[in-house]
């Protein structure tokens, strides 16, 4: 896809030519016959207004088809400032404006998670970018909130429904305080650059991320951490839906890298129109039927401001992480076979998800556990291979390693579950893989994970002992 | 200082790609073989008294498979009768050489060997097919024909099971490829350790969880006699992209291969997604997803000088064919235009248009220029939905005895 006008403005003699060899400037819009300004798909050109109709239709039909948003509902929109979420914001603004043919029926609130600490530097450039994002959010006129990825270390998990019914304690344990969400207010205050995240917290998070040995595990960990923070913010602010702006290209990459990281059972949750694995909060992906180029084109044609924030693997080699490799793979294939992205996304559309109402969920990503597999399984085969190639008698060296693997949980409760092997029991296959590459102390991990793991193990123990325990130990290690 | 074997006191000679553990030769052999044994026992692949045909190409996987099967059959008393079965695709400079290896293996392992060839089964060698179709899509022919060739060979030998040397890398690759191609039915099947159970010869993959690297290591240290050249006709296969991706993934995280298999095993398909039903091919009576199996469609295309018939969308190629025939017919003024080429066919096919079928059949011509072309011309058998009935109503009884048919008859008789 390319913008025809770009070429003309440059005064280039070479007119853009489609793959079929015919000149594109001459070809009219496939809808109305007006001169086309851009080419989508293979060689269909669109004029500007028909392209807008096309994009808006894809966005609205995704919302409409799903029938998930009720009239007048308020939703939280995750806004990173990047191309996709900027386009989503613009589409929402446009759909709510008076000139829209049928106005959208929901009310958005924006939330930005500042992830600048991942890069490990604090620079004026980053501060300027932050300020620009803040300005865009305020200018939108929607209520806007700001938080930092560091806060994910402090959030407390909601009690699982099972323990909630037993202990009718605090109504909302997810809120020790609400200081971690900053209301940006309505008035644009030009010189108020958002603060750098608190230094100590940033260090803590950076150390934690660095304790994962590979970029693959780091990216996977950050991804899940971000999602959990979004969920916590939505719960805190009383939202039941979060809109995120993954394009189809992004989703295609996600589908393949999910599969490559053992998250096959989660593909449909991770990439479908909605994701209900987190209790009470649903993720929705309303621009999933538009690809990255269409959204970028939309931004460029309609002058949408975007802010580029570098990620962990920006400007690294293609082999630096599975996600980075997959991105290169998909975009490369897409260039040769233009149906690649839609093929992949369509495949995932036919996949069913696990039952999200199950109680045995991963303590981190909240997906139903996929580790209860039969004897003939990949997991079983790996365990057997390990059994075959490791000594039957534990030698002193190996034993020592195992001890350092599992220190006693640091906050004084002498529960054995914070040791790594126990923790892994409460995680799904994919999260286990990431944690496998973690060589830090388990006390560095976010409370969220360790708390949930603790509960899940207690639940399991309780189930095993049911009938022998007398009703009294409910509150033993409940809320920390 | 040399690293010690994790299992005994010898020096380690290798690091296992699968688990990262260092092992000495003997411990590695033992671990590798016992893991295969474990897979066979856990999945209940064989029962005593089975006659097992080992698909042998002469390559590393099948050579190691033949060796391991023999070792395990003796060690654990499976009570199996093992036979080697090779398929000769007729690829000069590749298969003829690798078959020499299989013949040597036959003597080394003292197992009976049978070779079936494409030429005797289909009347075409791969060399001749590539001459027709070129170096693109040729792997489709080879793959489809081989599947059936193995089945036919095994039946002839009275085998009750077929084992193939597909390893973990192959399966991971297939998972990725089926995602890329959007083939949900195969995506669901491809991680199964045994396929084709009901009524047909079950095929098993005992190496499903064995890394290709470990198989190569095993063959290397055991100094097994195998043939290691890439097929001369395969460089353009789409599979190559998936293969490169898998290899790159393995470099980043060695466990990725087994992780992909785990993903494949834990995928579930939505209940409302329509799955193609497995039936029996109406021509050759072999298992098929369509009325007529892919092998028969491909073969028909070859025999009629339309090699692209079974590649991509069959109905498109059929339409082109019909148009060509129509043109010829009108040029010779034998008939009035037989095929209009427009999309209204007046026989209910308009309904098919809605389903994206786009067939342009005219059923009026009594001479039936389409011959067998009629039988799945409507939607190319790709199951685009909703046109099955129409297709059947439109189908005319095939009247002509065509070459493809005779060939198929001949080969059914064996």
């Amino acid at each position: 896809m390319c913008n025809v006008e770009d070429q003309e403005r440059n005064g280039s003699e070479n007119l853009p030519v489609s793959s079929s060899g015919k000149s594109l400037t001459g070809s009219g819009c496939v809808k109305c016959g007006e001169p086309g300004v851009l080419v989508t798909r293979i060689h269909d050109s669109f004029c500007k207004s028909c392209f807008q109709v096309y994009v808006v239709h894809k966005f609205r039909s995704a919302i409409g088809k799903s029938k998930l948003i009720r009239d007048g509902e308020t939703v939280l929109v995750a806004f990173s400032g990047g191309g996709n979420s900027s386009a989503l914001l613009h589409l929402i603004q446009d759909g709510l404006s008076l000139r829209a043919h049928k106005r959208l029926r929901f009310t958005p609130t924006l939330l930005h998670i500042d992830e600048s600490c991942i890069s490990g530097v604090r620079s004026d450039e980053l501060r300027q970018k932050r300020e620009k994002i803040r300005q865009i959010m305020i200018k939108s006129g929607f209520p806007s909130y700001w938080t930092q990825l560091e806060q994910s270390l402090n959030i407390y998990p909601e009690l699982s429904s099972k323990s909630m019914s037993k202990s009718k304690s605090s109504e909302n344990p997810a809120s020790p305080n609400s200081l971690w969400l900053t209301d940006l207010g309505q008035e644009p205050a030009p010189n108020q650059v958002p603060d750098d995240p608190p230094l100590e917290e940033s260090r803590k998070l950076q150390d934690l991320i660095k304790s994962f040995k590979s970029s693959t595990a780091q990216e996977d960990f950050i991804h899940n951490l971000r999602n959990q923070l979004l969920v916590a913010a939505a719960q805190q602010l009383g939202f039941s839906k979060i809109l995120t702006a993954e394009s189809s290209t992004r989703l295609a990459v996600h589908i393949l890298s999910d599969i490559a990281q053992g998250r096959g059972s989660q593909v449909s949750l991770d990439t479908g129109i909605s994701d209900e694995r987190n209790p009470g909060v649903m993720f929705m992906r309303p621009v999933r039927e538009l690809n990255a180029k269409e959204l970028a084109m939309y931004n460029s044609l309609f002058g949408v401001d975007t802010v580029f924030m570098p990620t962990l693997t920006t400007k690294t080699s293609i082999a630096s992480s599975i996600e980075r490799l997959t991105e290169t793979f998909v975009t490369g294939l897409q260039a040769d076979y233009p149906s690649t992205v839609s093929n992949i996304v369509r495949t995932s559309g036919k996949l069913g998800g696990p039952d999200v109402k199950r109680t045995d969920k991963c303590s981190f990503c909240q997906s139903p556990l996929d580790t209860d597999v039969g004897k003939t399984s990949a997991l079983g085969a790996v365990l057997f291979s390990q059994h075959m190639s490791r000594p039957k008698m534990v030698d002193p060296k190996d034993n020592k390693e195992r001890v350092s693997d599992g220190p006693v949980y640091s906050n004084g409760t002498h529960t054995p579950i914070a040791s790594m092997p126990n923790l892994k029991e409460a995680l799904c296959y994919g999260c286990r893989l990431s944690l496998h590459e973690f060589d830090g102390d388990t006390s560095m991990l976010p409370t969220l994970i360790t708390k949930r793991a603790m509960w899940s193990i207690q639940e399991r123990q309780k189930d095993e002992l049911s009938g022998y325990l007398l009703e009294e130990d409910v509150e033993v290690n409940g809320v920390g | 200082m040399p690293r010690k074997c994790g299992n005994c006191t010898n020096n380690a000679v290798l690091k296992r790609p699968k688990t990262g553990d260092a092992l000495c030769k003997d411990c590695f052999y033992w671990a590798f073989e016992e893991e295969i044994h474990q897979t066979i026992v856990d999945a209940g692949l064989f029962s005593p008294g089975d006659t097992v045909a080992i698909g042998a190409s002469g390559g590393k996987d099948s050579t190691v498979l033949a060796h391991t099967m023999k070792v395990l059959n003796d060690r654990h008393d499976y009570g199996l009768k093992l036979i080697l079965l090779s398929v000769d695709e007729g690829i000069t400079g590749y298969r003829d050489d690798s078959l020499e290896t299989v013949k040597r293996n036959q003597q080394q392992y003292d197992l009976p060997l049978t070779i079936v060839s494409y030429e005797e089964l289909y009347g075409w060698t791969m060399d001749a097919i590539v001459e027709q179709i070129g170096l693109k899509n040729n792997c489709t022919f080879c793959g489809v024909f081989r599947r059936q060739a193995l089945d036919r060979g095994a039946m002839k030998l009275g085998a009750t099971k077929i084992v193939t040397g597909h390893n973990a890398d192959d399966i991971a690759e297939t998972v990725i490829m089926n995602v890329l191609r959007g083939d949900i039915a195969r995506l669901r099947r491809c991680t199964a350790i045994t396929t084709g159970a009901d009524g047909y010869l079950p095929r098993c993959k005992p190496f499903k969880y064995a890394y290709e690297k470990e198989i190569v290591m095993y063959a290397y240290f055991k100094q097994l006699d195998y043939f290691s050249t890439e097929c001369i006709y395969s460089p353009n296969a789409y599979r190559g992209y998936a293969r490169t991706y898998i290899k790159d993934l393995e470099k980043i995280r060695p466990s990725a291969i087994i992780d992909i298999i785990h993903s494949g095993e834990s995928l579930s398909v939505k209940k409302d997604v329509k799955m193609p039903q497995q039936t029996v091919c109406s021509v050759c009576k072999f298992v098929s997803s369509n009325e007529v199996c892919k092998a028969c469609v491909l073969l028909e295309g070859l025999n009629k000088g339309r090699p692209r018939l079974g590649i991509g969308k069959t109905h498109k190629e059929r339409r082109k064919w019909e148009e060509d025939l129509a043109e010829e017919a009108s040029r010779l003024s034998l008939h009035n235009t037989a095929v209009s080429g427009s999309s209204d066919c007046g026989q209910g096919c308009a309904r098919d248009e809605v389903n994206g079928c786009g067939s342009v059949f005219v059923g009026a011509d009594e001479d039936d220029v389409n011959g067998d072309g009629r039988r799945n011309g409507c939607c190319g058998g790709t199951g685009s939905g909703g046109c099955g009935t129409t297709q059947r109503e439109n189908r005319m009884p095939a009247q002509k005895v065509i070459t493809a048919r005779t060939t198929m008859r001949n080969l059914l008789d064996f």
Side-chain angles (χ1 to χ4, degrees):
Chain A
M1 187 165 78
C2 61
N3 188 338
V4 176
E5 281 176 346
D6 281 350
Q7 298 274 336
E8 285 175 342
R9 264 187 247 124
N10 296 338
S12 161
E13 286 298 302
N14 303 325
L15 295 171
V17 169
S18 78
S19 52
S20 58
K22 59 180 180 187
S23 167
L24 292 170
T25 33
S27 61
C29 167
V30 288
K31 294 270 177 200
C32 65
E34 294 284 306
V37 291
L38 62 105
V39 183
T40 61
R41 290 170 291 198
I42 304 162
H43 32 238
D44 292 348
S45 39
F46 270 130
C47 68
K48 190 172 165 181
S49 60
C50 289
F51 177 65
Q52 186 178 23
V53 171
Y54 165 79
V55 173
V56 169
H57 171 77
K58 289 265 180 171
F59 161 67
R60 299 184 70 124
S61 77
I63 291 183
K65 263 190 297 191
S66 68
K67 292 184 186 155
L68 291 170
I69 301 185
R70 291 186 304 275
D71 247 19
E73 198 170 348
T74 53
V75 298
L76 192 61
V77 180
F79 179 76
S80 70
N84 294 349
S85 56
S86 299
L88 174 62
L89 175 60
H90 191 269
L91 283 165
I92 293 175
Q93 280 177 310
D94 187 64
L96 288 170
S97 69
L98 290 173
R99 64 172 201 85
H101 170 55
K102 271 176 100 178
R103 288 185 61 188
L104 291 172
R105 308 299 275 281
F106 61 83
T107 321
T109 295
L110 305 186
L111 172 69
H112 176 80
I113 298 180
D114 179 3
E115 298 179 15
S116 54
C117 71
I118 295 172
S119 65
V121 288
R122 291 166 172 248
S123 63
D124 280 340
E125 195 195 340
L126 277 178
R127 271 173 222 125
Q128 279 161 15
K129 282 183 172 175
R130 269 207 294 269
E131 175 56 21
K132 198 172 163 197
I133 292 173
R134 199 179 66 98
Q135 289 298 334
I136 295 173
M137 290 170 78
I138 294 173
K139 238 194 287 170
S140 74
F142 301 132
S144 299
Y145 290 88
W146 187 280
T147 188
Q148 292 123 354
L149 192 59
E150 286 84 345
Q151 303 298 342
S152 57
L153 297 178
N154 306 328
I155 48 175
Y156 274 65
E158 73 301 339
L159 282 168
S160 66
S161 53
K162 210 170 168 184
S163 24
M164 189 100 84
S165 60
K166 279 183 191 166
S167 63
K168 291 164 195 119
S169 60
S170 57
E171 278 289 285
N172 193 356
S175 57
N177 59 61
S178 55
L179 290 174
W180 56 281
L181 281 166
T182 317
D183 189 344
L184 290 182
Q186 296 293 322
E187 291 299 312
N191 292 320
Q192 210 181 31
V193 179
D195 297 332
D196 285 334
L199 194 62
E200 194 196 333
E201 305 265 275
S202 286
R203 286 244 171 84
K204 245 169 99 183
L205 182 61
Q206 281 160 15
D207 287 346
L208 172 60
I209 292 172
K210 272 191 215 121
S211 305
F212 288 89
K213 281 177 282 178
S214 71
S215 309
T216 305
Q218 292 176 354
E219 276 184 331
D220 182 65
F221 181 75
I222 293 171
H223 174 81
N224 285 317
L225 206 54
R226 181 193 303 125
N227 277 354
Q228 291 306 313
L229 182 59
L230 280 171
V231 170
Q235 284 167 342
Q236 169 80 41
L237 296 167
F239 289 96
S240 62
K241 299 208 170 75
I242 305 174
L243 305 192
T244 54
E246 290 106 326
S247 65
S248 60
T249 317
R250 186 84 209 84
L251 290 176
V253 172
H254 208 85
I255 290 163
L256 284 186
S257 56
D258 259 358
I259 290 177
Q261 295 179 63
R263 293 187 184 273
S265 65
Q266 300 158 20
V267 164
S268 72
L269 294 177
D270 276 345
T271 60
I273 177 78
S274 66
D275 171 1
E276 296 181 73
R277 81 187 105 173
N278 293 286
V281 179
M282 178 200 284
F283 279 97
M284 275 188 73
R285 307 183 177 92
V287 290
R288 69 186 297 276
E289 284 169 32
L290 291 156
N291 67 35
K293 277 190 178 169
E294 284 163 341
L295 291 175
M297 215 59 230
Y298 181 85
N299 288 342
S300 127
L301 282 177
F302 296 96
V304 179
D305 258 350
T306 64
V307 182
F308 174 74
M309 283 289 193
T311 66
L312 204 60
T313 51
T314 306
K315 288 189 185 168
T316 54
S317 87
I318 60 160
S320 57
S321 78
I322 287 184
E323 202 175 315
R324 179 85 171 78
L325 173 75
T326 309
E327 193 183 336
T328 316
F329 174 67
V330 170
T331 44
L333 214 51
Q334 172 78 6
D336 290 340
Y337 302 88
S339 58
T340 303
V341 165
S342 58
N343 263 352
I344 300 174
V345 175
R346 208 153 28 99
T347 313
S348 95
K350 292 177 191 160
L351 295 175
D355 181 10
V356 287
K357 297 206 173 60
R358 263 168 43 189
T359 49
D360 51 336
K361 286 187 171 183
C362 171
S363 292
F364 188 18
C365 70
Q366 294 283 286
S367 321
L369 285 182
D370 55 352
T371 50
D372 183 19
V373 284
K375 266 198 290 183
T376 332
S377 64
L379 188 59
V382 173
L383 291 178
F384 187 73
S385 290
Q386 286 171 352
H387 168 75
M388 285 306 291
S389 42
R390 281 171 200 177
K392 313 290 171 289
M393 303 280 282
V394 184
D395 74 31
K397 187 177 158 283
D398 194 53
N399 198 18
K400 208 174 126 209
E401 267 176 11
R402 209 158 283 165
V403 171
S404 70
D405 236 16
V408 176
Y409 193 45
S410 58
N411 73 1
T413 53
H414 288 275
T415 38
I417 37 87
S419 71
M420 196 53 95
N422 276 333
L423 193 58
K424 280 189 186 162
E425 283 291 299
L427 296 177
C428 69
Y429 188 94
C431 288
R432 276 186 200 184
L433 274 179
S434 289
L435 260 278
H436 190 65
E437 298 187 8
F438 177 73
D439 60 3
D441 192 293
T442 41
S443 63
M444 292 166 75
L445 293 169
T447 341
L448 184 80
I449 305 179
T450 41
K451 277 272 184 247
R452 280 195 194 135
M454 195 157 79
W455 290 336
S456 102
I457 302 220
Q458 280 172 353
E459 288 295 334
R460 208 171 305 166
Q461 285 168 346
K462 236 180 270 172
D463 284 350
E464 277 166 22
L465 298 175
S466 66
Y468 297 96
L469 285 183
L470 304 173
E471 290 287 324
E472 59 168 12
D473 63 332
V474 179
E475 285 290 329
V476 179
N477 283 310
V479 190
Chain B
M1 198 188 101
R3 206 168 153 186
K4 290 281 178 203
C5 171
N7 222 1
C8 65
T9 51
N10 294 336
N11 284 343
V13 294
L14 58 89
K15 191 178 144 196
R16 293 195 72 179
K18 195 170 174 183
T19 61
D21 296 303
L23 288 181
C24 71
K25 252 192 225 178
D26 288 329
C27 289
F28 171 66
Y29 294 154
W30 181 258
F32 183 87
E33 289 156 6
E34 285 308 296
E35 281 167 33
I36 306 304
H37 171 62
Q38 190 71 21
T39 310
I40 290 173
V41 172
D42 283 349
L45 293 187
F46 311 115
S47 359
D50 269 341
T51 302
V52 179
I54 303 171
S57 66
K60 55 182 167 38
D61 297 315
S62 55
T63 306
V64 175
L65 180 66
H67 177 86
T68 328
M69 285 298 295
K70 188 168 166 64
V71 167
L72 293 177
N73 193 24
D74 295 344
R75 184 186 297 162
H76 295 285
D77 234 346
Y78 290 161
L80 303 179
K81 186 180 166 220
L82 300 176
I83 40 182
L84 295 176
L85 174 60
S86 290
V87 177
D88 182 2
E89 295 94 343
I91 303 176
T92 317
Y94 170 68
R95 186 54 85 214
D96 42 1
D97 294 343
S98 71
L99 283 175
E100 289 307 311
T101 319
V102 183
K103 284 173 193 159
R104 286 198 302 276
N105 288 341
Q106 172 193 10
Q107 280 152 18
Q108 286 152 1
Y109 306 141
D110 191 26
L111 297 172
L113 165 70
T114 308
I115 300 176
V116 290
S117 75
Y118 280 8
E119 191 158 24
E120 87 187 66
L121 288 179
Y122 306 104
W124 287 84
T125 63
M126 271 313 285
D127 286 339
I129 292 173
V130 169
E131 221 166 86
Q132 295 286 315
I133 189 95
L135 281 175
K136 248 187 155 183
N137 302 115
N138 53 319
C139 291
T140 307
F141 286 86
C142 197
V144 170
F145 286 165
R146 187 176 321 103
R147 194 196 151 79
Q148 239 185 38
L150 267 183
D151 274 347
R152 290 177 189 285
M155 277 180 173
K156 189 167 114 183
L157 295 169
T160 47
K161 301 265 163 67
I162 303 177
V163 290
T164 56
H166 290 102
N167 56 43
D169 296 46
D170 295 331
I171 295 176
E173 195 178 296
T174 311
V175 171
I176 296 293
M177 205 168 81
N178 286 330
V179 173
L180 292 179
R181 301 187 334 157
D183 193 333
I184 197 81
R186 283 204 179 78
L187 183 59
R188 199 178 58 165
R189 291 201 288 259
C190 69
T191 48
I193 191 156
T194 307
T195 50
D198 22 283
Y200 297 91
L201 274 188
R203 298 179 154 225
C204 345
K205 306 169 194 142
F207 283 175
K208 185 184 170 190
Y209 301 114
Y211 270 49
E212 185 172 282
K213 280 215 170 68
E214 298 205 346
I215 293 172
V216 177
M217 281 180 181
Y218 187 88
Y220 170 78
F221 284 117
K222 284 251 175 187
Q223 296 189 317
L224 298 183
D225 182 6
Y226 71 91
F227 180 79
S228 63
T229 309
E230 285 280 311
C231 173
I232 50 172
Y233 291 146
S234 73
N236 292 323
Y238 189 73
R239 188 172 270 275
Y241 294 105
R243 170 156 288 252
T244 318
Y245 176 61
I246 298 288
K247 298 295 172 218
D248 290 343
L249 279 177
E250 193 190 1
K251 276 180 218 147
I252 296 178
R253 180 187 266 173
S255 74
I257 288 171
I258 216 91
D259 299 340
I260 291 175
I261 300 181
H262 173 79
S263 286
E265 286 173 346
S266 49
L267 289 176
S268 56
V269 177
K270 271 187 196 158
K271 285 192 190 69
D272 51 354
V273 172
K274 221 175 135 190
M275 283 294 179
Q277 293 292 313
Q278 290 225 325
T279 55
V280 176
C281 170
S282 60
V283 180
C284 68
K285 312 294 178 223
F286 260 74
V287 63
S288 164
S289 310
N290 297 302
E291 175 83 28
V292 178
C293 73
K294 196 75 174 171
C296 290
V297 175
L298 289 173
L299 198 57
E300 189 201 346
L302 283 172
N303 288 332
K304 297 226 174 125
R306 284 271 165 184
R308 300 199 57 81
L309 190 63
I311 308 290
K313 295 205 167 68
T314 305
H315 68 267
K316 276 194 185 160
E317 184 61 24
R318 287 206 190 276
R319 184 167 58 198
K320 244 197 294 177
W321 186 3
E322 283 153 22
E323 279 166 7
D324 288 352
L325 284 173
E327 206 176 281
E328 201 165 313
S330 65
R331 210 177 40 235
L332 297 171
S333 322
L334 287 176
H335 299 275
N336 291 332
T337 319
V339 175
S340 67
S342 79
S343 57
D344 69 73
C345 77
Q347 278 211 356
C349 270
R351 251 193 296 153
D352 298 342
E353 284 288 310
V354 182
N355 295 319
C357 219
S359 134
V360 280
F361 260 13
V362 173
D365 186 15
E366 57 198 81
D367 206 348
D368 192 13
V369 282
N370 308 315
D372 282 4
R374 189 129 315 228
R375 60 180 178 233
N376 64 349
C378 217
C379 59
T382 45
S384 52
C387 64
T389 34
T390 332
Q391 190 186 335
R392 230 158 278 132
E393 283 158 18
N394 280 352
R395 194 172 302 121
M396 304 269 276
Q399 295 154 343
K400 288 189 169 181
V401 180
I402 52 163
T403 42
R405 189 60 67 85
T406 26
T407 323
M408 294 309 296
R409 287 245 170 81
N410 293 344
L411 58 94
L412 281 172
D413 290 337
F414 87 173

